[in-house]
Amino acid sequence: MRKIPTNSPATRRKAELPLDLDGPHVTQDASSQHRLYQALCHAITGGIAKPGEPLPPQRTLAKQTGFRRNAVTSTYERLIADGFAVATTGSGTFVAARIPARVNDARKTRIAVEAPQQGALALGCTHIDERALQRFRSFAGRRMRAFGNEHLQYGDPRGSRELRAAIADHLLAARGLRCDPDQIMLASGTQHALRIVLGAILKPGDQIWCEDPGYPAARRAIGHCGLRPVAVPVDASGMIVAKGRALAPSAGAAYVTPSHQFPLGVQMSMPRRLELLDWARETSAFVIEDDYDSEFRYDGAPLLSLAGIDHLSRVIYMGTFAKTLFPGLRIGYCALPERLVGPVTTARAALDRFPGTLLEGAVADMLNSGAFAANLRKVRGIYREARDVLASTLSAASDGLLTVPVPSQGLHLVARFDPSTDPLVAAKAKAEAGVAGWLLAETYFRARPLPGFVLGFAGHPLPQLIASAERLAKSSLAAFQISRKPNKGGTGKVNRKAAI
């Protein structure tokens, strides 16, 4: 039998190799030599032992596994014979530079995860003013240089009081919402805050009102909590509370976007707001107010927030810095009624203990120094121009086929066909144009969907917006004309009478 050189002490080597001798890749009733061979092959093909890397000395491996040394020697011989390892006299045994494919290895499954949209007309893109970015870098750098003990220990589940106090001041000035910093909890975003809050105030199987059409991500979060979303229709005044009462009078909560309804962009009227709050008080339910894009208002003063009207009695207010600064911060927040501070804080502590602390101070500095407000003023002008360009281009290039109401708030707009248009026209047009954004039909749950598009205008260069809008408009015209051809009795003309 050919002698297998042992590893030299002078050669870099692993003291131990993590081997799985009990996994499904190992035949448990086989000999020790065969089981060790299978475990080593699994480690090599799985990248635990990399090409060219030394294998442990035989004596070390025998001690690690509890197998006899002659079993290890025979295993190494077999690895070399099968091309998985090479032996160098005086240096040791190494993983082969190129290893053969193993027939009995299961084929790796390709894991497909849908990436967020990034192209023109995609939602969720933002812009930050260069001066504001410089200020943020300066604040973050200063905070890192003054690294304190608060980062070396577990913190308050609600987040740092400094940032919570700065957010409380901001909400009072911008949204008329007066609350104590102790009523604010930080989260990684509104969806994260929503999951925490829902887990604290409702139990699986409870009903919750949701706008229809509405925000699909929120609806998915609600479903993942084991709750039953009740689709409540939306009209020009927002969620139709009377419909909610009829569909689920004893629902435990309502999720709404009253300042800028997603996706239609309407504002919930004051009578409808008061009606919603009356229902919440009568039934001891809670209203979750997602103040979606409330900071980006281009015409007139915004209506008071629901939480401001309610004084944080039955309303839970949610906001985020994803749009007002940038998504990579992963900092959102919610303002809670006093009675919910304890339960929600307990739920947060059980979920992920507390938020990250490194950037909290820099965000507080942005708010307290005025840099945050200055950035909002700057980007509002940029977004207003982008909104106007997108709306006018879509309307003109579609020859009036698309109706494009210009929103007074927010970072997206809706472009609609006549309601009688086949919804497939919008789907075909969007696919042909190759643009991002959503189909309006994707935001409906039970109501009959309107044909059209939900398009983002923030964070995109104007030339890209114009080119994408022109492509979408032309493909919409083409898809519409094709849909009209089978109707021999029709005139073939574009129907310019669109829904409002």
Side-chain angles (χ1 to χ4, degrees):
M1 182 171 63
R2 183 162 55 93
K3 184 178 180 181
I4 306 300
T6 57
N7 291 9
S8 167
T11 306
R12 59 181 181 84
R13 57 187 179 179
K14 286 182 178 290
E16 283 192 355
L17 182 66
L19 294 177
D20 183 1
L21 292 164
D22 300 309
H25 53 280
V26 174
T27 306
Q28 294 303 323
D29 57 353
S31 66
S32 58
Q33 174 190 328
H34 188 64
R35 284 185 286 140
L36 181 57
Y37 173 81
Q38 289 177 318
L40 282 166
C41 282
H42 182 73
I44 292 170
T45 57
I48 296 173
K50 296 178 173 55
E53 195 171 71
L55 292 172
Q58 294 175 28
R59 191 185 304 277
T60 301
L61 189 58
K63 184 177 180 180
Q64 174 189 340
T65 59
F67 295 149
R68 294 179 181 275
R69 188 173 176 187
N70 62 353
V72 177
T73 301
S74 298
T75 300
Y76 274 22
E77 286 181 339
R78 186 175 172 187
L79 288 173
I80 293 168
D82 290 347
F84 289 101
V86 294
T88 304
T89 303
S91 297
T93 307
F94 297 80
V95 179
R98 294 183 62 185
I99 58 174
R102 297 186 65 197
V103 178
N104 61 341
D105 270 353
R107 192 179 295 273
K108 280 191 175 181
T109 303
R110 183 177 293 275
I111 301 174
V113 178
E114 185 178 354
Q117 294 183 344
Q118 301 293 337
L121 307 183
L123 282 71
C125 299
T126 58
H127 173 87
I128 184 169
D129 180 56
E130 183 59 35
R131 177 169 171 76
L133 188 56
Q134 290 175 358
R135 297 288 300 278
F136 182 82
R137 288 194 185 108
S138 174
F139 291 140
R142 189 186 72 182
R143 292 283 179 160
M144 285 299 294
R145 289 189 294 273
F147 191 93
N149 288 332
E150 68 273 14
H151 304 303
L152 302 177
Q153 53 195 330
Y154 293 102
D156 190 318
R158 295 167 298 177
S160 76
R161 183 174 177 83
E162 181 184 14
L163 179 52
R164 289 188 283 116
I167 291 172
D169 291 342
H170 166 69
L171 291 178
L172 179 59
R175 302 299 291 126
L177 173 56
R178 186 181 300 276
C179 65
D180 190 275
D182 287 341
Q183 293 176 263
I184 292 175
M185 181 188 71
L186 304 181
S188 65
T190 50
Q191 281 182 257
H192 184 213
L194 182 61
R195 291 291 299 268
I196 296 170
V197 166
L198 290 176
I201 68 172
L202 299 176
K203 61 183 184 300
D206 284 352
Q207 292 178 311
I208 176 172
W209 292 0
C210 296
E211 296 164 326
D212 191 14
Y215 190 38
R219 191 181 298 140
R220 287 193 295 269
I222 288 167
H224 278 297
C225 289
L227 305 173
R228 291 186 293 158
V230 178
V232 181
V234 172
D235 62 14
S237 297
M239 176 182 275
I240 305 175
V241 177
K243 291 284 188 181
R245 284 182 179 269
L247 291 167
S250 59
Y255 170 84
V256 291
T257 53
S259 295
H260 182 247
Q261 199 275 333
F262 187 93
L264 300 181
V266 300
Q267 272 196 326
M268 182 179 279
S269 66
M270 187 58 72
R272 197 69 63 79
R273 291 172 183 239
L274 297 176
E275 190 180 356
L276 179 61
L277 294 176
D278 286 343
W279 165 78
R281 295 188 190 103
E282 291 168 12
T283 62
S284 297
F286 288 100
V287 175
I288 300 172
E289 177 182 15
D290 186 347
D291 209 16
Y292 191 85
D293 293 348
S294 64
E295 294 89 351
F296 300 102
R297 184 160 182 84
Y298 308 109
D299 306 297
L303 287 175
L304 194 64
S305 66
L306 272 175
I309 300 171
D310 177 64
H311 304 295
L312 280 181
S313 175
R314 308 300 311 180
V315 177
I316 301 161
Y317 179 96
M318 294 188 176
T320 178
F321 293 106
K323 308 288 180 60
T324 51
L325 288 174
F326 51 91
L329 271 178
R330 302 310 302 140
I331 296 179
Y333 53 89
C334 61
L336 303 163
E338 285 187 19
R339 77 192 80 183
L340 292 183
V341 172
V344 172
T345 301
T346 300
R348 170 59 186 274
L351 184 64
D352 63 347
R353 302 198 71 159
F354 71 108
T357 58
L358 279 178
L359 293 179
E360 288 179 343
V363 177
D365 290 339
M366 289 289 289
L367 288 164
N368 293 331
S369 68
F372 177 82
N375 179 65
L376 280 183
R377 288 193 296 270
K378 182 73 173 181
V379 298
R380 272 196 204 105
I382 295 171
Y383 294 160
R384 181 187 289 109
E385 182 182 9
R387 174 202 65 175
D388 294 344
V389 165
L390 178 58
S392 60
T393 302
L394 285 170
S395 183
S398 68
D399 196 21
L401 172 66
L402 294 173
T403 297
V404 191
V406 179
S408 61
Q409 187 167 309
L411 303 180
H412 76 269
L413 55 74
V414 173
R416 287 175 285 188
F417 293 89
D418 183 271
S420 63
T421 305
D422 187 338
L424 289 177
V425 171
K428 290 177 180 177
K430 183 174 179 294
E432 181 65 27
V435 297
W438 291 4
L439 294 171
L440 184 55
E442 293 176 306
T443 67
Y444 282 82
F445 188 52
R446 294 198 181 280
R448 181 179 180 273
L450 292 174
F453 313 102
V454 184
L455 308 171
F457 52 78
H460 304 297
L462 289 183
Q464 190 181 32
L465 273 181
I466 293 170
S468 299
E470 288 176 343
R471 287 202 313 275
L472 183 60
K474 290 175 182 177
S475 65
S476 296
L477 278 169
F480 181 81
Q481 293 292 5
I482 291 172
S483 74
R484 300 267 293 179
K485 284 182 180 179
N487 301 326
K488 296 180 180 179
T491 63
K493 293 182 181 179
V494 173
N495 186 351
R496 307 184 197 284
K497 193 175 182 180
I500 297 176

